[in-house]
Amino acid sequence: ADAFRWAHAADPAAKLYLNEYSTLEPGPKTDAEYVLVRQLWSARVPINGVGFQAHLQLVTGVPSTASAQLGRYARLGLDTMITEADVRMQVPLQPAAAGDALNQQAAVYRSLLDVCLAQRRCVGFTIWGFTDKYSWVAESLPGEGNACLMDDHMQARPAWSALESRLRAGRKVTAQRSAIPSSIPS
């Protein structure tokens, strides 16, 4: 609470977010974060929203609960963001399977963006890096890589085009929007 208060005192116009990883799926960590944010919000601590770090794997894709996780913060009246989005896969890719894997990756990126676009209070979608040349994945997770929108040579992957076309369409692709109540739910 003090960190948010101090940051707000230093710059009252700054948008203040709690940004965490592994919170797109339910579980003890996700629930503890929600309780914390709800307590901060109820205590009038200056918090504007919650960021969801989305370091995803091709084999698991976007968690089916991602939309619900963003939605529960929206119901509190807080903004949300997808942050640090990347979609890693097993490497090296076999030439015969490379096209399929990259198209599947594009679909995962697009689905993640759709989660954000479907939420009226999701105000940002940030990619974690843009080229595998400087990505954290290969160094931190041996045997995994190809997580970014561009390869080592700055050549766009299908995921680039998938996100670009979806962003051009804007929120028109959404099926539903979250209703935002005026009071804090229990």
Side-chain angles (χ1 to χ4, degrees):
D2 285 340
F4 282 101
R5 288 183 184 113
W6 296 332
H8 179 71
D11 184 356
K15 297 291 183 183
L16 304 176
Y17 284 74
L18 180 62
N19 187 46
E20 189 56 73
Y21 68 96
S22 295
T23 56
L24 286 173
E25 295 181 275
K29 178 180 180 177
T30 303
D31 291 341
E33 179 188 55
Y34 181 74
V35 169
L36 171 64
V37 170
R38 198 171 181 298
Q39 289 170 345
L40 294 170
W41 185 244
S42 296
R44 306 276 185 240
V45 171
I47 181 171
N48 300 100
V50 176
F52 293 83
Q53 295 177 24
H55 299 291
L56 303 179
Q57 296 177 10
L58 182 63
V59 295
T60 55
V62 178
S64 61
T65 55
S67 184
Q69 296 304 329
L70 272 67
R72 68 182 184 167
Y73 291 102
R75 286 187 296 279
L76 289 177
L78 295 169
D79 289 338
T80 59
M81 290 186 183
I82 299 293
T83 65
E84 302 183 27
D86 56 25
V87 181
R88 64 187 185 270
M89 60 185 77
Q90 296 295 309
V91 292
L93 291 174
Q94 299 302 318
D100 287 342
L102 294 174
N103 287 330
Q104 290 172 3
Q105 179 189 49
V108 173
Y109 266 111
R110 186 175 40 248
S111 294
L112 184 61
L113 179 58
D114 284 346
V115 166
C116 181
L117 291 174
Q119 296 285 335
R120 186 178 69 83
R121 298 298 300 251
C122 187
V123 298
F125 186 90
T126 305
I127 302 297
W128 182 255
F130 60 94
T131 173
D132 288 328
K133 185 173 184 174
Y134 306 110
S135 175
W136 68 279
V137 174
E139 184 177 317
S140 299
L141 303 167
E144 297 187 64
N146 293 352
C148 296
L149 299 179
M150 295 182 172
D151 66 17
D152 289 344
H153 306 288
M154 308 274 215
Q155 297 299 306
R157 292 199 168 103
W160 175 279
S161 298
L163 293 181
E164 180 183 32
S165 66
R166 190 61 97 219
L167 288 169
R168 287 186 189 281
R171 292 193 186 266
K172 293 181 278 188
V173 299
T174 61
Q176 317 178 11
R177 297 179 195 259
S178 297
I180 311 298
S182 58
S183 61
I184 296 174
S186 53

